Amino acid sequence: MDNTAIIEATLRELGIGSNYIAQQRVVTAIALALEDEDRLFSVTRKIYALAGERCGCSWAAVERNIRTTVQRVWRINPQGLIKMAGYPLTEPPTASDFIEIVAHYLRRTIAGEKYAATPE
């Protein structure tokens, strides 16, 4: 399974299906964070702007879509997001924190699958 499919499946677990208009922009932003973790140090320039270029929209549209996605997830599946974060959340995370939470969760999950598949 490629990263896009894994990200889409993870977002689906949180309640964001492929019929949700912002999903592709969120998937692109998370994929960029997975490609290079250092992008999280400059989210606007290195994630939102690049995702906007790839999706044919502005960086502000990407950021707004992620904020909207976070609000939806927080409304319908806050416990799923808290579980992914691995630490308590008392309010919805920021858009950049959401990207970090999902990217970190996927890194742990993917690394765990690779470790489990490695013969001893």
Side-chain angles (χ1 to χ4, degrees):
M1 188 180 280
D2 69 349
N3 279 353
T4 299
I6 293 168
I7 296 166
E8 288 171 352
T10 302
L11 290 175
R12 177 169 273 301
E13 289 175 28
L14 291 172
I16 305 299
S18 57
N19 63 328
Y20 192 61
I21 197 161
Q23 190 222 37
Q24 191 54 49
R25 294 173 185 176
V26 177
V27 167
T28 303
I30 294 168
L32 288 165
L34 283 172
E35 286 173 12
D36 183 357
E37 190 174 12
D38 288 342
R39 287 183 173 138
L40 291 166
F41 294 118
S42 183
V43 176
T44 300
R45 194 168 50 86
K46 294 186 178 180
I47 293 180
Y48 300 158
L50 287 173
E53 285 177 24
R54 292 184 185 181
C55 295
C57 63
S58 70
W59 71 265
V62 172
E63 194 265 346
R64 181 180 61 245
N65 287 145
I66 296 168
R67 277 188 286 120
T68 302
T69 298
V70 169
Q71 292 303 315
R72 178 175 166 83
V73 168
W74 191 254
R75 201 172 48 252
I76 62 175
N77 191 2
Q79 291 306 313
L81 186 56
I82 291 167
K83 183 179 175 187
M84 281 185 189
Y87 55 85
L89 296 170
T90 57
E91 59 187 23
T94 64
S96 60
D97 286 342
F98 178 78
I99 293 169
E100 189 279 331
I101 288 167
V102 176
H104 185 73
Y105 171 79
L106 289 171
R107 264 192 218 94
R108 288 190 328 254
T109 302
I110 293 167
E113 288 173 2
K114 287 179 183 175
Y115 180 74
T118 304
E120 293 186 24

